[in-house]
Amino acid sequence: MISKNTAGSLAVGFILGGAVVAATLYFMNEREADEDAEAAEKTAVVSPASDSAAAAAVASLARISEDSAKTIALAQIPGGKIESGELENEDGKLIYSFDIKVAGKEGIEEVHVNAITGEVIKKVHESAADEAAEKAKS
């Protein structure tokens, strides 16, 4: 026969053991989700705008919404207004790229926001000549 103290200890042990197993499974699933997102981010290819199904598939890989990315980008450039933006794969990263204009300032500010993490990964001022050269490369 098991004493009350032993039974209580066993019950606490089972509860704590179950909690540890549940926490382990949770973190394993989170890690797998992060790894899946990283793999998708590395393989994502932005299709031409005319292929809306492919563009929607790429957009579904983003964990950060476009509106959230805009808010993040605008926080980097006080007084700025987004002139254009797109979701693209650049250097193996799925990013939102925004061109932001500041009134009274020549050129634009280009801000890249990681579409998976929301991290600002690039912020650079482009002169009118820089913009023209970038468009020529496209």
Side-chain angles (χ1 to χ4, degrees):
M1 181 173 239
I2 299 176
S3 72
K4 280 186 169 183
N5 287 343
T6 303
S9 295
L10 286 172
V12 169
F14 283 124
I15 291 169
L16 291 175
V20 168
V21 169
T24 301
L25 290 174
Y26 171 80
F27 287 112
M28 286 175 63
N29 286 337
E30 283 294 307
R31 188 181 73 221
E32 288 174 6
D34 289 344
E35 289 170 355
D36 290 346
E38 286 174 16
E41 180 180 345
K42 289 178 182 173
T43 60
V45 176
V46 175
S47 301
S50 62
D51 189 353
S52 61
V58 171
S60 72
L61 297 173
R63 286 189 175 175
I64 305 297
S65 72
E66 184 175 5
D67 286 341
S68 293
K70 284 179 180 180
T71 300
I72 292 167
L74 285 170
Q76 297 294 308
I77 312 296
K81 182 177 178 185
I82 294 177
E83 287 196 335
S84 66
E86 63 185 336
L87 180 64
E88 62 183 327
N89 181 339
E90 186 168 295
D91 299 326
K93 298 264 185 211
L94 186 61
I95 64 161
Y96 290 101
S97 174
F98 297 105
D99 288 345
I100 302 174
K101 180 69 179 157
V102 177
K105 188 173 182 182
E106 184 181 316
I108 59 148
E109 305 299 322
E110 184 174 10
V111 178
H112 292 181
V113 177
N114 185 307
I116 305 298
T117 66
E119 174 187 7
V120 174
I121 54 178
K122 180 179 177 183
K123 181 175 98 170
V124 64
H125 177 77
E126 291 186 347
S127 67
D130 293 336
E131 284 183 79
E134 186 175 311
K135 286 181 183 178
K137 283 187 349 184
S138 300

